[in-house]
Amino acid sequence: NRTGVDQLYSATPICGVEAIVMVRDANTGKPLASAKVAILDERNNVIETRTADANGRVTYSVDCDRAYTIQASMSGYENNSFPIAKTHGG
């Protein structure tokens, strides 16, 4: 009972989450503004490097079902890294 041409669309859901990184001094707990934060893929290739804001915060949008590694560095501090496990969203 329709008139004209039907326009059919297809949608593929993409699963993504935010990885929120907080860079802090291990002794005092104070945020480290301007720290460099890199996100690496499962082969340890750097995807992107960002600079922490005044609150020591960096946010990355990451894909579900992929593991990542975060590396933080700042002059006068030891570098640190930690894994981000695969997630199924949420």
Side-chain angles (χ1 to χ4, degrees):
N1 64 354
R2 296 183 195 172
T3 59
V5 177
D6 286 338
Q7 294 184 1
L8 303 175
Y9 297 93
S10 174
T12 304
I14 298 173
C15 180
V17 295
E18 284 189 336
I20 301 170
V21 181
M22 301 293 292
V23 184
R24 299 181 183 272
D25 183 296
N27 294 325
T28 67
K30 291 183 181 179
L32 297 177
S34 301
K36 299 293 181 193
V37 180
I39 186 166
L40 291 75
D41 64 15
E42 61 278 351
R43 294 185 183 128
N44 288 328
N45 297 316
V46 175
I47 298 170
E48 184 178 1
T49 301
R50 295 185 181 176
T51 302
D53 65 13
N55 298 316
R57 182 178 172 154
V58 174
T59 303
Y60 286 106
S61 295
V62 297
D63 296 330
C64 296
D65 297 321
R66 289 185 63 190
Y68 296 91
T69 300
I70 297 292
Q71 288 182 343
S73 61
M74 187 166 176
S75 179
Y77 288 87
E78 287 184 27
N79 296 348
N80 198 359
S81 64
F82 59 91
I84 297 178
K86 293 180 182 181
T87 181
H88 297 293

